[in-house]
Every structure is written in structure tokens, then in C-alpha cells.
Amino acid sequence: MPMENYERIIEKISKLSNIPSQEIERKIEAKRAKLSGLISREGAAQVIAAELGISFDNEKLKIEELLPGMRKVNVVGKVIGVSPVRTFKTKKGDDGKVANLFLADETSNIKVVLWDTNNIHLIETGEIAENVVVEISNGSMRDNELHLGSFSAIKATNDSIGEIKTGKVFREKTISELKNSDNVRVRAFVVQTFEPRFFYVCPSCKKKAVQEDGGFVCAEHGKVSAEKRALLNIIIDDGTETIKTVAFQDNLASLGITEFENMEELINQREKLLGKEMFFHGTVRNNKLFNTPEFIIEKAEDIDSDLLIKELEN
Ligand SMILES: [Zn+2]
């Protein structure tokens, strides 16, 4: 349900501004058109909210409603993971601390970064740990993370919480908005496809197997009969920018690429893919070799024609 988040945000803006949601949606689309589609719908919604003078201050928000740039955020969620507390030297030479935790509610999940030693102390004493429901007040959104500074508070609460959403969350962004380690959904055209490349993996651990003496060797499992795997690089363009993507074997079928033996058929499949507009779900990572961002496709989805018609009608 990719539209859910956006619709929820519109409802919220509508409620707080007393403007019908259709009107809000029109304003958002007009804003996007004015900016030549350079920002995502969620980003445009945030701009409209600011223009309407809406403050989400002291509103209890669902995680899905948290948008980049929001301040004074209040949210309740269950801790689903805590990373070890790290220390670092501040510019003044003092010892600083930082801790991360992951918070989930019924709608989504998010990384929370704690910078305040009083808040971090609650993790060190175990008062805040996995499965504890916490209430956060006065947090700030930095990109897609919730940051808690010295004016923020986090405390255990007895609030009950429904079935939490722990799966990977893909937020909608344009290619120009992408940052390293984002989990996002991008709507874009395939503008270039490359020859698939092949590599070999160990059948047990699926790690890379190295060719040696006419056979294959896994670092862990020794001599193995390796599986041949394919990967495909394609370049996608959404009008804001282009990005190089990588799709591995398990995700190639969603791009319509299934043939690796019959070269003629493979060329056909690549030609069909070229120029196609799709939704791409995946993660942004830095290509270490070239120091450029790269999009790892986890799922490609045809654009629902009903949805397109609905958007055109609006
Ligand atoms: Zn192995």
C-alpha cells in the first residue's frame, strides 16, 4: 500500500488546517508542478504544511507521519533494537556519547539517535531496552532519522501499542533527494541497461565462491559446486537526476529479465525494459570503488494503471 503514508499526511494537514483533503492534495500537486517535480509528494506536503502555518508541535504523531525537517516531534513506540552506546571526542575535547535505537509502532519504524547523556543513561541502566514502550517528546527529524538532543525526552510509558510494523520501510523520494543508506521507493524510467554479469556463490552460505584449479572454493565450506548468479546494472531517470542501479538474480524477474542462456531472448527482454517506467524499491549505498551513490533494487513494480489514471484525473 504505497499510497498510505501520503494519504495519512494529507489527512493530518487537513485536520489541523480545517481545509478539505482534496484541496490540500491540489495544493501539493500545484507545488510539485511549480518545482517541476523536483521534490517528492511527501516533501511537497511538508512545504504546504509550513505555508499553511501548521505546526505539528505537541501533536502525537505516528511514525509514518514523521517527515524530514519536522521539529518538536512527539511519538510513542516500542523499542525493537538498541545499538551499543558509542563514545567520541567533541571539538572541545570532551567525551561525547551517542546511541541508536529502533522504534516501531503500528504504522512504521524508524531509527532514533540519542545525543543527550541523560537520555543515553536510561539505555545504559537498562531502563530503556528492547520491547519497552517509550514516549519521546521534542525530537527533531534529520533526514529520515529522529534525533534527540538535550531538550528532548524519552521515557518508558504504559501506553499500549497494537501490532507493530517491523519490516523494512520504503519512503518515497526523488532521485535527487537520495542519500546514502536510504530505503526508498523511486518512480523512474529505465534509460540504459547493461550486459548482465555473472558470479559464483557457495550453495550453502550464498557467499562468493572463488574459482580455483578448475573448481570453486568457499572460504567457509571449502570445495563446493558453485551456483552461477547474475546481476544487472541499469540506469534510471525520474527527471530530477539519474542513478546507477544494481539488481541481483532474485530481483531480476520483477524487471522482466529471466533469460541468461539464450542471448537473443535476453536482448529482447532488455529491449522491453528500456524506456519502461516503474516503481523501484531499494536501498542507496555508496559504491566504494567509484565513490558514487548506487541504488540496490530489492523490488521493481509495474505502475498500476488505475493509479495513473486517478492521478491524471486529479
Ligand atoms: Zn559457503
Side-chain angles (χ1 to χ4, degrees), residues 59 62 147 177 191 202 204 225:
E59 278 279 316
K62 291 291 173 194
H147 284 242
E177 292 173 319
V191 293
C202 163
S204 318
S225 58

Side-chain angles (χ1 to χ4, degrees), residues 202 204-206 218 220-221:
C202 163
S204 318
C205 65
K206 306 292 175 196
C218 166
E220 197 187 330
H221 295 99

Side-chain angles (χ1 to χ4, degrees), residues 104-115:
D105 68 7
E106 304 91 334
T107 67
S108 190
N109 55 71
I110 194 166
K111 182 178 172 183
V112 181
V113 185
L114 294 82
W115 298 96

